[in-house]
């Protein structure tokens, strides 16, 4: 524990804004955060972040970061797996004690944190970071843990959700009208067996979510470096000046390439998540 405290102090001294910006070499590395920095924020005298655990109930009860709030997927998902509207998301965030100026840290044990990061960005909150490596990174660092159900936020927050960020989502018509030759590409972020079983939506190409993370090493919550992701994007034919629409089965895993391209510095107005994803599209196909 003493070593963990020393490491946290070192992070506070060494990881200033410039270091956070270039975390793992990413132009927008500030969207990720290391476990040592989270611990330093919690132990330090500065503003405390709202730590959100985007994990299942069993994982939460077994152990979580002290003071974290449990946010299972159903808490921030509307009917049919879609994003909640502005009013509901605002109520969700306020219920967690989040104010307009509250820094937010989200962690998971797979890929859900990226989806929640995407939702916060959708409704105007930018001081939101994803714990790189998720719960495993925290546990391996030897920091304090808490068990059991945990507690509720001490008081409601005053976060005010902005109107949804234009273009941050894509609709069915956007996907149907997408043409690579016109500069809009659609990407399938599901797992390989799903792609092979059902095929793509329209002219979509495959770029599974796992390629952006160390999932093949048993670390699905940990992003690869900017150099690794840059090589992947070049090989797949990504261009920053193109529009990129991502989908998966329900719009959760598709947030991983969205976050990855954001980290790589791609223009926000070129990144779009098809929220309805395969669930909505398959209903369309069945009704035609």
């Amino acid at each position: 524990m003493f070593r963990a405290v020393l490491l946290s102090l070192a992070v506070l001294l060494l990881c200033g804004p410039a270091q956070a910006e270039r975390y793992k070499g990413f132009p927008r590395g500030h969207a990720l955060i290391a476990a040592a920095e989270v611990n330093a924020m919690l132990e330090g005298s500065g503003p405390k972040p709202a730590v959100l655990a985007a994990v299942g109930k069993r994982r939460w009860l077994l152990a979580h970061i002290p003071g974290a709030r449990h946010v299972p997927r159903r808490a921030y998902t509307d009917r049919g797996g879609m994003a909640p509207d502005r009013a509901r998301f605002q109520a969700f965030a306020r219920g967690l004690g989040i104010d307009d100026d509250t820094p937010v840290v989200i962690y998971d044990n797979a890929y859900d944190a990226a989806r929640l990061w995407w939702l916060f960005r959708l409704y105007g909150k930018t001081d939101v970071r994803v714990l790189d490596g998720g719960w495993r990174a925290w546990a391996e660092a030897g920091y304090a843990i808490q068990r059991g159900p945990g507690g509720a936020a001490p008081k409601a927050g005053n976060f005010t959700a902005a109107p949804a960020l234009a273009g941050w989502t894509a609709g069915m018509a956007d996907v149907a009208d997408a043409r690579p030759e016109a500069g809009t590409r659609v990407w399938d972020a599901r797992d390989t067996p799903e792609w092979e079983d059902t095929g793509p939506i329209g002219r979509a190409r495959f770029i599974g979510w796992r390629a952006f993370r160390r999932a093949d090493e048993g670390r699905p919550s940990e992003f690869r470096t900017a150099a690794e992701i840059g090589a992947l994007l070049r090989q797949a034919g990504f261009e920053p000046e193109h529009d990129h629409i991502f989908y998966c089965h329900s719009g959760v895993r598709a947030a991983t390439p969205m976050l990855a391209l954001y980290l790589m510095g791609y223009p926000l107005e070129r990144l779009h998540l098809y929220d309805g994803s395969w669930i909505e599209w398959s209903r369309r196909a069945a009704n035609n």
Side-chain angles (χ1 to χ4, degrees):
M1 182 61 66
F2 180 67
R3 290 179 62 191
V5 171
L6 286 178
L7 179 58
S8 297
L9 289 174
V11 168
L12 275 177
L13 292 172
L14 297 176
C15 288
Q19 286 82 0
E21 194 75 13
R22 301 301 303 185
Y23 177 76
K24 284 191 169 180
F26 291 114
R28 295 197 188 109
H30 58 264
L32 296 179
I33 187 169
E37 190 176 353
V38 177
N39 190 65
M41 293 172 71
L42 293 173
E43 296 290 333
S45 58
K48 299 294 186 287
V51 179
L52 309 182
V55 299
K57 184 176 181 180
R58 183 173 181 273
R59 171 71 274 162
W60 168 257
L61 293 173
L62 284 173
H64 51 266
I65 295 176
R69 304 343 178 211
H70 185 213
V71 286
R73 193 183 298 175
R74 67 178 182 276
Y76 53 89
T77 302
D78 212 338
R79 296 176 63 181
M82 303 287 280
D85 63 21
R86 179 185 177 187
R88 186 182 169 199
F89 187 80
Q90 178 174 284
F92 159 76
R94 288 184 175 185
L96 297 169
I98 295 173
D99 295 332
D100 287 328
D101 60 354
T102 302
V104 175
V105 173
I106 312 167
Y107 76 88
D108 58 26
N109 59 345
Y111 43 72
D112 282 53
R115 168 71 174 189
L116 192 46
W117 168 87
W118 175 81
L119 278 169
F120 273 109
R121 295 286 314 199
L122 178 66
Y123 291 116
K125 190 158 183 62
T126 59
D127 52 345
V128 179
R129 305 170 74 181
V130 171
L131 174 56
D132 192 32
W135 168 253
R136 180 169 177 172
W138 181 268
E140 288 179 346
Y143 297 127
I145 63 171
Q146 186 175 10
R147 302 182 189 278
K155 64 180 182 65
N158 63 18
F159 169 66
T160 301
L165 181 63
W168 200 230
T169 58
M172 189 184 299
D174 299 310
V175 176
D177 294 340
R179 298 291 185 273
E181 61 274 15
T184 301
R185 295 188 178 277
V186 180
W187 301 91
D188 188 317
R190 296 177 297 169
D191 287 312
T192 303
E194 294 170 278
W195 164 267
E196 293 176 342
D197 182 48
T198 65
I201 289 176
R203 297 175 175 82
R205 298 174 64 183
F206 182 72
I207 185 76
W209 70 275
R210 293 175 179 273
F212 298 94
R213 300 173 181 255
R214 300 200 177 281
D216 56 352
E217 302 167 35
R219 308 184 75 89
S221 296
E222 184 176 340
F223 276 85
R224 298 189 179 277
T225 65
E228 292 172 312
I229 291 178
L232 168 69
L233 297 179
R234 288 191 296 273
Q235 183 179 13
F238 278 79
E239 296 290 349
E241 64 271 18
H242 290 166
D243 283 287
H244 300 284
I245 300 174
F246 298 97
Y247 74 88
C248 56
H249 184 73
S250 62
V252 177
R253 289 169 292 176
T256 284
M258 286 281 289
L259 177 50
L261 268 65
Y262 174 87
L263 291 166
M264 293 294 293
Y266 276 55
L268 266 68
E269 64 271 17
R270 297 297 189 183
L271 305 179
H272 320 280
L273 191 151
Y274 174 30
D275 196 23
S277 280
W278 185 262
I279 291 177
E280 183 182 66
W281 188 270
S282 62
R283 290 171 183 162
R284 171 185 184 268
N287 291 330
N288 284 346

